[in-house]
Amino acid sequence: MAKIGEILIQKGLITQEQLETALVESKKKGEVIGKTVIRLKMVTEEQLLKVLGEQLGVPFYSTLKEIQIPQDVIDAVPVKFVWHYKIIPIKKEDKIITIAVSDPLAIWSMEDLKLHLGYDIDRVLATQEEILDAIRRYYGFGADTVEKILAQNLGEKEEKQAREEIAEVEQTEKSAEDASVIELVNQVLSEAIARRATDIHIEPYRNKVRIRYRIDGVLYDMNVSEQIKYLHRSIIARIKIISNLNVVEKRLPQDGRAIVKIQGKQVDLRISIIPSVYGEGIVIRVLPVQYIFDLKELGFAGDDLAQIEELMDRPHGIIFLTGPTGSGKTTTLYACLNRLNNDEVKIITIEDPVEYELSGIMQIQVKPEIDFTFARALRSILRHDPDIMMIGEVRDLETAELAIRTSLTGHLIFSTLHTNDAASGAARLIDIGIEPYLIASSVNAFIAQRLVRVICPDCKEERKDNHNLPPPFNTMKTYFGRGCDACNGIGYRSRKALHEILPVVPEIQDLILEKSSTTKVKEKARELGYRTLRESGIECVREGQTTPEELMQVVDLKE
């Protein structure tokens, strides 16, 4: 049989000079020539496995994603063998199991499997990346770590104790510091970063623990080992330790924060823990420590960008961002402050909580439990002579009244309101108790915002069945995301903001003074040519940035 190096030369994949270099390096490192040529990037793993497959008569699978592996096949091979040997079972027939491997020369591992499983082993080849991805898909990420912890740290008595969910505080704290539990928590965090998740939800139920990631605003169940339920308390304890929370307290909600380094990046973790019937539930908000806020990247473009910049250039007044929780209002306000931030102005924010750190801006977090409220903070910071202020949210009459009167004394203020659209902003303030004349004279604009998911550019395709869509999408060219590795099969990657900007011009001021209905304000805004959220969303679909289905979930198209 020809040597692998000679075959690679025959196939034109490497030169004689490269082979000689690889042989010297292989001898120096004490590794097989195949690993050396891959490490030196002379060939890819896929190219090498194809050649080895031809040489050994073993089939090569370029992808495992298209194969549906039956559950009984997965159950036949314990997770400890799968992770130890980096293999994945493909199929089972009679007494033969077909295993995908990335190292066809590791014959001893196949003999070990045959001995322990009681099956004859048939091999196919696949890249290690494909195999690891399949392991996470079918066995759940972190399954090997869970198995290792239970095997190493739980004897028969301890395992019974864990299954009955009876654990003393001291045991929980000790297990939380165990290297394997630390590794498991790190895997949960790393997977979240890799998938671009903004939130991690760990939820205990009667017979299981569920882990979900929020990606681009949508929650996705993560496939985790069922055995993770026995480690729920240790996981919670570990997270409490890194966020300086009380490990002993399990009856009351707790909130904490931690800055950790994951995959070479510093991330800010905001931790919220609540007690539930079956244990403590936890939500971890994942925020980058350093974040570049840019209005263009958030979705402002063309006329909208020019309009918001004109509003920000005014010396005083209030700009209100409106929309439901999670619509990106605070992020947009940060982008506005980032644009205005320079050495000549003093900017102070009052937030609950402070979501991102902004260099050069004083940020204050309110603490209602000690009566440090938005209104109280606002009174105090006026003595610090700010030019621009951001008030995280106007919730009550006192805060609203102080903000408006402050804007009338020459300050530019940014804040948020919880309303469905821009036209409802004035009605909301009147409902709180603000006099219409104060609104008309102080508010520069109401800006409504929603977030829509953007179609993944790597798997974007034109839709062929537009006639099945409701108007106006059935008469326009639309696109969708097929799903690929870049977007984790979702079809969307990242989000962008839709905006509805309503400047408080004289015509709108008159309607506010008359306490006109929201409907009349909307009609006047349309007469004046202001674009609604609906129109902004339809334009986004027309430009191929998002799908009709995504837009219909976010915006009422009947308006």
Side-chain angles (χ1 to χ4, degrees):
M1 184 181 290
K3 293 182 178 180
I4 187 63
E6 295 171 1
I7 298 174
L8 290 173
I9 292 175
Q10 291 171 11
K11 295 280 186 181
L13 296 174
I14 63 172
T15 64
Q16 182 65 44
E17 290 76 12
Q18 285 178 313
L19 176 59
E20 290 170 4
T21 301
L23 286 169
V24 172
E25 186 70 14
S26 171
K27 190 173 181 181
K28 187 190 301 181
K29 296 285 185 180
E31 64 185 1
V32 296
I33 188 68
K35 288 186 178 179
T36 304
V37 292
I38 292 174
R39 182 168 56 81
L40 297 178
K41 297 183 179 179
M42 294 177 178
V43 297
T44 64
E45 185 184 9
E46 184 171 337
Q47 288 173 325
L48 180 66
L49 289 177
K50 281 181 180 177
V51 170
L52 284 172
E54 290 177 16
Q55 186 187 30
L56 300 171
V58 179
F60 171 74
Y61 284 45
S62 58
T63 180
L64 299 176
K65 293 183 178 67
E66 297 170 4
I67 299 172
Q68 188 62 40
I69 305 173
Q71 188 59 43
D72 66 317
V73 176
I74 297 297
D75 294 339
V77 184
V79 65
K80 61 183 178 182
F81 291 116
V82 166
W83 276 107
H84 181 70
Y85 292 122
K86 302 296 186 291
I87 59 171
I88 186 78
I90 301 293
K91 61 182 178 180
K92 179 163 66 90
E93 293 177 354
D94 299 325
K95 297 298 288 182
I96 300 175
I97 286 185
T98 302
I99 302 284
V101 302
S102 61
D103 184 359
L105 303 179
I107 304 299
W108 59 272
S109 61
M110 297 299 105
E111 292 298 323
D112 190 35
L113 284 173
K114 182 178 178 180
L115 178 65
H116 283 90
L117 301 179
Y119 288 92
D120 288 327
I121 306 297
D122 195 9
R123 295 178 302 161
V124 297
L125 300 180
T127 64
Q128 189 168 97
E129 184 181 346
E130 285 286 327
I131 290 172
L132 293 177
D133 184 58
I135 293 172
R136 284 189 287 266
R137 223 167 37 245
Y138 288 100
Y139 287 89
F141 77 89
D144 60 325
T145 309
V146 172
E147 190 82 13
K148 193 191 306 176
I149 297 169
L150 293 176
Q152 290 177 354
N153 299 337
L154 297 179
E156 186 177 335
K157 181 180 176 182
E158 289 82 0
E159 183 167 354
K160 183 182 178 186
Q161 188 179 35
R163 290 181 188 280
E164 293 173 353
E165 294 190 332
I166 302 172
E168 298 298 327
V169 170
E170 292 81 6
Q171 290 175 316
T172 304
E173 287 190 63
K174 185 179 177 181
S175 62
E177 291 292 355
D178 183 83
S180 296
V181 175
I182 294 172
E183 182 185 349
L184 180 60
V185 171
N186 288 346
Q187 284 177 339
V188 171
L189 296 173
S190 294
E191 189 76 7
I193 298 294
R195 291 176 178 264
R196 301 178 298 103
T198 54
D199 300 271
I200 304 167
H201 295 246
I202 302 175
E203 306 159 345
Y205 297 96
R206 183 186 291 274
N207 293 314
K208 68 174 184 177
V209 169
R210 187 185 195 188
I211 296 182
R212 295 193 286 174
Y213 290 160
R214 189 178 294 280
I215 303 169
D216 294 334
V218 178
L219 280 171
Y220 294 92
D221 261 312
M222 304 312 298
N223 182 20
V224 294
S225 167
E226 288 184 6
Q227 307 302 312
I228 205 169
K229 62 188 176 185
Y230 305 129
L231 300 171
H232 173 246
R233 291 189 178 197
S234 297
I235 293 169
I236 297 297
R238 172 61 188 163
I239 293 168
K240 284 181 178 179
I241 288 167
I242 65 173
S243 52
N244 294 315
L245 296 177
N246 187 346
V247 178
V248 178
E249 182 57 71
K250 296 179 175 66
R251 302 163 301 168
L252 296 172
Q254 295 189 70
D255 292 315
R257 178 179 178 181
I259 295 178
V260 297
K261 194 168 186 178
I262 304 170
Q263 297 179 3
K265 301 176 186 174
Q266 271 201 329
V267 293
D268 194 346
L269 305 179
R270 306 297 171 84
I271 290 111
S272 178
I273 299 175
I274 56 172
S276 73
V277 176
Y278 298 109
E280 292 175 287
I282 186 165
V283 173
I284 303 172
R285 186 89 188 273
V286 183
L287 302 169
V289 172
Q290 295 295 327
Y291 192 88
I292 303 300
F293 296 97
D294 185 88
L295 288 167
K296 289 182 181 177
E297 290 182 8
L298 295 179
F300 284 97
D303 293 341
D304 284 351
L305 182 60
Q307 203 167 14
I308 189 71
E309 287 184 336
E310 187 274 324
L311 290 167
M312 287 191 295
D313 286 338
R314 296 183 187 181
H316 55 79
I318 302 181
I319 298 173
F320 278 110
L321 263 289
T322 76
T325 302
S327 59
K329 301 186 297 295
T330 305
T331 304
T332 298
L333 290 181
Y334 281 166
C336 292
L337 296 181
N338 190 56
R339 180 196 172 284
L340 295 169
N341 189 17
N342 61 62
D343 294 337
E344 297 173 0
V345 296
K346 179 162 185 172
I347 303 175
I348 301 180
T349 73
I350 310 170
E351 306 173 58
D352 184 20
V354 174
E355 292 196 17
Y356 295 95
E357 294 179 14
L358 299 174
S359 178
I361 294 175
M362 286 189 64
Q363 295 175 270
I364 300 169
Q365 180 160 323
V366 300
K367 295 179 181 177
E369 64 272 15
I370 58 171
D371 198 32
F372 184 46
T373 61
F374 280 106
R376 190 168 181 179
L378 184 53
R379 284 196 206 94
S380 298
I381 67 173
L382 288 173
R383 301 187 190 102
H384 287 251
D385 191 27
D387 300 289
I388 300 166
M389 288 178 279
M390 182 187 102
I391 304 169
E393 184 184 345
V394 168
R395 299 175 178 174
D396 51 52
L397 174 60
E398 187 182 13
T399 307
E401 204 163 45
L402 275 170
I404 283 173
R405 294 192 184 281
T406 301
S407 72
L408 292 172
T409 59
H411 298 85
L412 181 62
I413 296 179
F414 296 86
S415 191
T416 69
L417 279 173
H418 282 291
T419 65
N420 286 327
D421 52 31
S424 304
R428 171 66 178 145
L429 290 173
I430 291 171
D431 185 56
I432 288 174
I434 301 298
E435 291 295 331
Y437 76 91
L438 288 174
I439 301 170
S441 57
S442 64
V443 178
N444 292 343
F446 295 100
I447 304 172
Q449 178 168 305
R450 295 291 188 281
L451 294 177
V452 292
R453 290 181 292 173
V454 176
I455 300 170
C456 174
D458 290 348
C459 60
K460 181 176 175 181
E461 290 183 3
E462 185 179 341
R463 192 190 299 270
K464 304 299 182 185
D465 56 349
N466 277 7
H467 60 280
N468 294 326
L469 296 173
F473 308 116
N474 55 353
T475 57
M476 68 172 70
K477 185 186 289 187
T478 62
Y479 299 84
F480 73 101
R482 184 182 65 258
C484 64
D485 290 342
C487 62
N488 296 313
I490 295 169
Y492 298 96
R493 199 165 79 207
S494 80
R495 291 188 289 177
K496 69 161 290 182
L498 305 178
H499 299 101
E500 176 181 282
I501 302 176
L502 178 63
V504 183
V505 293
E507 294 88 343
I508 301 298
Q509 285 177 332
D510 292 341
L511 292 176
I512 293 172
L513 291 170
E514 295 168 6
K515 293 188 178 181
S516 298
S517 67
T518 298
T519 304
K520 284 188 177 180
V521 175
K522 283 182 183 178
E523 289 172 356
K524 177 57 71 174
R526 286 195 181 100
E527 286 177 24
L528 296 171
Y530 297 126
R531 191 166 67 170
T532 64
L533 278 171
R534 176 183 181 275
E535 291 162 350
S536 179
I538 290 172
E539 184 62 27
C540 192
V541 173
R542 183 177 285 110
E543 291 174 355
Q545 295 180 15
T546 192
T547 63
E549 292 85 356
E550 174 68 8
L551 181 62
M552 287 187 282
Q553 288 184 7
V554 175
V555 176
D556 186 358
L557 296 177
K558 295 177 182 177
E559 291 184 352

